[in-house]
Amino acid sequence: MTQNTPPRGSGRPKNPSASRQGGRRPKPGQERRPSPDPTRDLAFDIVCGVVEHRRMLETTLDRAGPMDPRDRASAHRLAATTLRYMGSMTEILQPMLRREPPEPVRCALLLGVAQLLHLETPPHAAVGTIVDLLRRRGLAPFAGLANAVLRRVAREGRDLLEGLDDARLDVPAWLWSAWGHRARSISRGLHREAPLDLSLRPGAIAPEGGDVLPTGTVRYPAGTRIATMEGFEEGQFWAQDVAAAMPVKLMGDVAGKTVIDLCAAPGGKTAQLSAAGADVTAIEKEESRAVRLRENITRMRATAETIVADGLKWRPKAPVDAVLLDAPCSATGTFRRHPDVLWIKRPRDVTALAEGQDAFIDAARDMLKPGGMLMYAVCSLQDEEGPDRIAAALERGGWKHVPFTDEELADMAIARTPEGFFRTHPGLWWDRGGMDGFFAARLIRV
């Protein structure tokens, strides 16, 4: 199997003997019916969705239907942990398997290893839950294999972890190569859950227990539930990573200015612009995302006109002062919260997204007054979606790049590049809990 590539397979035994590698089958009528386990079932569906179908973690969660919130949260944590360590756990499993198992079996084994090595699940529970999972999912012939392999991992796994370069193994090879000299620093953020960052409405009081970062973002420990915090329903704050909050701040004084927020859902930046006094028009193409955008705008008490439209085709009635373009991108900078993105995206996806980003930049130019500002931003770590897009826009003409100054980035000076771009990654501010990967640049229409 190629290093760092999600395991591929047929989903069924390759030959009759493969189905017997788990050991002797019980006699008819002696099979034990496994107990329901919604946590492992959902986690299994999530990981299989990523590995087999390149389906986003959140998509599987959304399709799961009603279930106990605690089971849902536990399933999310188990699946996310499995995806964070998938490369190194695959490396551990490889010598324990005499032949390549079907992908669903491998996914189940990975869930078991994650429980044993990274979630401190007692061995009997970690092994037993995976054996039962296989039986529930019609994979009973592999129950013995899982039992034997996971018991061995329980005995030897910690020793097997020693000496593994998990930082590199847990990042797909093409991404590691693309990140170049930054790769090891970036990957530091992969094995730690992201904290909860809040942006506050002007005058709002932050809930207790947070740390105020130099940029004004208030940070809470990973696992903090925002919906239970005092002031949430009243729209006193909203979740927004410290890096994601910076592009609007870098737009300067927008009070009284007409600003278009393209690709606006879920609405954090719309709320920022509204709170800063801008006359905001929020554009969102997908109706389902627009519904969420409107709900968030209402809860956050933001003032903005929301329009369901394709930002590539829609144009305002009159040119505006500024456009914020948080462009559709590979989202590789969000892997702390969405580790599935590492295993879903491919190099060709980045190429296709870059073409779309160019189209959005050109559309934004049509919306601006002469001298108007485009704030281009992506939550991507890829050069193709960041500095390369700015270079391409300048080559096409009609733009001037205005670098961010040291004064503008005084609260996050580490994010200013020599070219004057804003660029972050999950390894920055490590002692403070890190941040998402973001890129931003300021263009002026000429």
Side-chain angles (χ1 to χ4, degrees):
M1 183 180 67
T2 303
Q3 186 182 27
N4 300 118
T5 300
R8 310 296 296 172
S10 64
R12 62 183 62 182
K14 296 179 180 178
N15 54 63
S17 63
S19 66
R20 292 193 293 270
Q21 61 181 311
R24 185 176 301 168
R25 294 176 178 174
K27 296 179 181 180
Q30 293 183 346
E31 294 90 347
R32 179 175 62 84
R33 183 179 297 275
S35 302
D37 189 343
T39 292
R40 271 79 179 185
D41 280 335
L42 179 53
F44 177 73
D45 289 339
I46 290 171
V47 174
C48 285
V50 171
V51 170
E52 292 190 276
H53 309 294
R54 297 186 181 270
R55 182 190 305 134
M56 294 177 63
L57 183 157
E58 296 294 337
T59 300
T60 303
L61 273 180
D62 291 343
R63 294 178 179 177
M67 62 185 299
D68 188 297
R70 291 171 297 182
D71 289 336
R72 184 183 293 268
S74 296
H76 182 281
R77 183 168 184 246
L78 174 54
T81 301
T82 302
L83 294 169
R84 284 193 180 95
Y85 293 94
M86 190 157 70
S88 54
M89 293 192 304
T90 297
E91 189 79 4
I92 288 173
L93 284 173
Q94 205 68 5
M96 300 184 185
L97 301 170
R98 287 180 298 171
R99 57 177 62 89
E100 188 86 3
E103 283 184 10
V105 175
R106 184 178 290 278
C107 291
L109 291 173
L110 289 169
L111 290 170
V113 178
Q115 291 182 103
L116 287 166
L117 300 185
H118 302 295
L119 292 175
E120 300 181 353
T121 305
H124 69 277
V127 176
T129 55
I130 298 305
V131 168
D132 285 351
L133 171 67
L134 291 169
R135 288 174 174 151
R136 279 195 306 275
R137 293 308 184 94
L139 296 165
F142 294 92
L145 170 68
N147 182 70
V149 168
L150 293 178
R151 286 183 181 277
R152 181 177 172 187
V153 172
R155 294 192 305 269
E156 306 173 15
R158 295 292 177 186
D159 294 334
L160 294 172
L161 282 175
E162 293 295 326
L164 281 186
D165 188 356
D166 57 354
R168 182 160 191 170
L169 288 168
D170 291 330
V171 174
W174 75 271
L175 281 171
W176 186 273
S177 177
W179 295 342
H181 70 277
R182 302 179 297 148
R184 192 162 295 279
S185 179
I186 288 173
S187 67
R188 291 182 72 191
L190 180 57
H191 297 143
R192 184 163 70 177
E193 290 186 62
L196 172 66
D197 288 353
L198 299 184
S199 292
L200 306 181
R201 287 184 59 80
I205 298 175
E208 294 183 359
D211 295 323
V212 181
L213 300 178
T215 60
T217 290
V218 187
R219 172 160 288 180
Y220 297 82
T224 303
R225 297 181 60 191
I226 185 173
T228 64
M229 302 175 81
E230 185 177 356
F232 172 75
E233 292 296 340
E234 294 75 23
Q236 297 301 298
F237 49 81
W238 54 91
Q240 190 174 37
D241 185 83
V242 63
M246 288 301 295
V248 169
K249 294 179 180 181
L250 291 170
M251 293 178 75
D253 184 6
V254 294
K257 294 183 178 180
T258 52
V259 182
I260 293 171
D261 184 3
L262 282 177
C263 313
K269 295 180 178 64
T270 302
Q272 277 185 285
L273 290 166
S274 174
D279 178 6
V280 190
T281 301
I283 309 298
E284 179 55 51
K285 180 180 180 180
E286 297 180 17
E287 179 62 42
S288 60
R289 290 175 58 83
V291 169
R292 183 183 178 195
L293 171 64
R294 292 191 187 101
E295 291 174 347
N296 287 338
I297 287 175
T298 299
R299 182 186 62 80
M300 295 183 291
R301 300 184 181 181
T303 301
E305 179 184 8
T306 59
I307 297 175
V308 181
D310 183 347
L312 294 175
K313 301 176 182 178
W314 178 88
R315 297 294 182 270
K317 295 179 181 178
V320 299
D321 296 308
V323 172
L324 170 64
L325 171 57
D326 189 352
C329 69
S330 63
T332 51
T334 67
F335 66 66
R336 296 183 309 156
R337 292 179 173 84
H338 307 288
D340 51 309
V341 73
L342 299 179
W343 303 102
I344 289 172
K345 301 300 180 183
R346 303 176 183 180
R348 64 172 178 264
D349 297 325
V350 176
T351 301
L353 287 163
E355 293 175 359
Q357 290 149 11
D358 285 345
F360 271 111
I361 290 173
D362 291 345
R365 186 178 183 279
D366 292 341
M367 302 176 190
L368 287 167
K369 300 174 180 177
M373 177 204 307
L374 168 63
M375 180 62 64
Y376 174 82
V378 284
C379 54
S380 169
L381 296 166
Q382 313 312 115
D383 285 347
E384 299 94 324
E385 300 180 89
D388 290 1
R389 299 283 52 79
I390 301 305
L394 294 174
E395 185 175 348
R396 290 194 302 275
W399 295 106
K400 177 176 69 172
H401 173 228
V402 179
F404 300 122
T405 66
D406 291 335
E407 291 74 22
E408 288 175 305
L409 279 171
D411 294 329
M412 199 186 284
I414 196 170
R416 186 179 185 275
T417 73
E419 301 87 356
F421 299 137
F422 170 79
R423 195 173 197 183
T424 62
H425 65 70
L428 299 182
W429 277 8
W430 182 250
D431 57 329
R432 292 187 170 109
M435 65 183 76
D436 282 351
F438 241 84
F439 173 89
R442 177 170 51 201
L443 295 175
I444 301 298
R445 177 180 174 176
V446 297

